[in-house]
Amino acid sequence: MSSGSNGNVNRDEQLTVVHLMRHGEVHNPDGVLYGRRPGYHLSELGRQMADRVADHLEKRDITHVVASPLERAQETAAPVAKAHGLDLATDPRLIEAANVFEGKTFGVGDGALRKPDNWKHLTNPFRPSWGEPYIEQVVRMMGALDAAKDAARGHEAVCVSHQLPIWIVRSFVERRRLWHDPRRRQCTLASLTSFTYQGDTIVSVGYSEPARDLVPVHLLAGAKPVKGKSKAFGA
């Protein structure tokens, strides 16, 4: 590899890794689709998940940690930042996707889908008609990824976000269609979707689940829905 005049690796050849981490489990006994609503914090299990990932990343070259402004993301990111002696930054572009069903229950066999007044929001799954357009999520999430890459250039960054935005930006990078079956998202609680950049270009995407053994079975990717336990709750 060529070097610049200061002896460092050429900026265009530097490898940088940006880990998009999904937050841990949230305390939500009423099964509300909380979305962007404030006041939803990690459960005790969620805090264990956050600590597990912090331990997993302890020896990695993390130089930048940033999170969505929502409490569950901030609380998930805090142990990672502490483990590396870093201040925790906030990027509003990492926030959960907007959704008209926020505040409603959305379980399998009950909740919002059974109410005719809500059917008007379900007319277009490709946009989608019930929330923030997928392409808008791509734009803001790519901006957040690029900002984290620049902040940690030549090292690694951790960005704590939410299931849908993480899955959408991964789908975009991997050139898959953006509309999808939510049950098929590979983005378990406290998982890491890791983007490796060479210079400013993403050259690979990886996925890992450091806290998989702590995740309730019905929340794992591809799990069969359980009545009253919608996967949407843990967005």
Side-chain angles (χ1 to χ4, degrees), residues 33 98-104 118 121 129-132:
L33 181 64
N99 191 310
V100 297
F101 294 114
E102 284 183 15
K104 298 179 172 64
N118 291 328
H121 299 301
S129 53
W130 55 83
E132 181 183 9

Side-chain angles (χ1 to χ4, degrees), residues 27 41 227:
H27 179 67
H41 298 266
K227 186 173 181 179

Side-chain angles (χ1 to χ4, degrees), residues 1-219:
M1 301 179 89
S2 61
S3 300
S5 59
N6 61 0
N8 293 327
V9 175
N10 186 296
R11 182 183 179 92
D12 292 335
E13 297 178 344
Q14 285 181 314
L15 291 180
T16 306
V17 181
V18 179
H19 304 280
L20 268 183
M21 180 182 176
R22 186 182 171 195
H23 63 78
E25 185 189 63
V26 174
H27 179 67
N28 182 21
D30 297 326
V32 173
L33 181 64
Y34 37 74
R36 294 181 173 181
R37 291 188 165 210
Y40 286 88
H41 298 266
L42 292 183
S43 64
E44 177 58 35
L45 181 60
R47 289 190 287 272
Q48 292 177 33
M49 292 176 182
D51 289 339
R52 173 73 64 79
V53 179
D55 290 343
H56 175 77
L57 294 173
E58 184 178 11
K59 295 184 179 179
R60 300 295 292 260
D61 185 22
I62 308 294
T63 62
H64 181 65
V65 181
V66 59
S68 154
L70 296 173
E71 293 99 331
R72 58 192 184 272
Q74 294 278 316
E75 292 165 1
T76 300
V80 180
K82 182 179 179 180
H84 293 273
L86 299 170
D87 292 331
L88 174 58
T90 300
D91 189 334
R93 292 173 293 189
L94 294 169
I95 200 168
E96 174 62 287
N99 191 310
V100 297
F101 294 114
E102 284 183 15
K104 298 179 172 64
T105 58
F106 214 82
V108 176
D110 60 9
L113 283 181
R114 299 185 63 184
K115 299 177 181 178
D117 287 348
N118 291 328
W119 294 349
K120 63 180 178 291
H121 299 301
L122 304 173
T123 56
N124 186 355
F126 307 106
R127 185 178 185 265
S129 53
W130 55 83
E132 181 183 9
Y134 292 138
I135 192 61
E136 291 183 10
Q137 295 179 53
V138 168
V139 170
R140 65 176 172 84
M141 290 295 288
M142 287 300 297
L145 280 172
D146 285 343
K149 173 259 299 174
D150 289 340
R153 191 176 288 274
H155 306 279
E156 300 184 34
V158 175
C159 305
V160 180
S161 187
H162 308 267
Q163 185 190 60
L164 179 55
I166 294 172
W167 181 248
I168 288 299
V169 75
R170 178 181 173 183
S171 296
F172 174 78
V173 169
E174 295 182 332
R175 300 184 179 182
R176 288 192 302 274
R177 68 190 186 204
L178 301 183
W179 59 273
H180 61 282
D181 180 345
R183 295 169 298 181
R184 300 297 181 184
R185 295 173 190 160
Q186 189 183 42
C187 190
T188 298
L189 289 165
S191 60
L192 297 171
T193 301
S194 304
F195 299 80
T196 298
Y197 288 80
Q198 184 169 15
D200 295 321
T201 302
I202 296 174
V203 294
S204 68
V205 180
Y207 177 77
S208 60
E209 298 176 349
R212 181 181 176 87
D213 61 302
L214 298 177
V215 178
V217 173
H218 71 279
L219 294 177

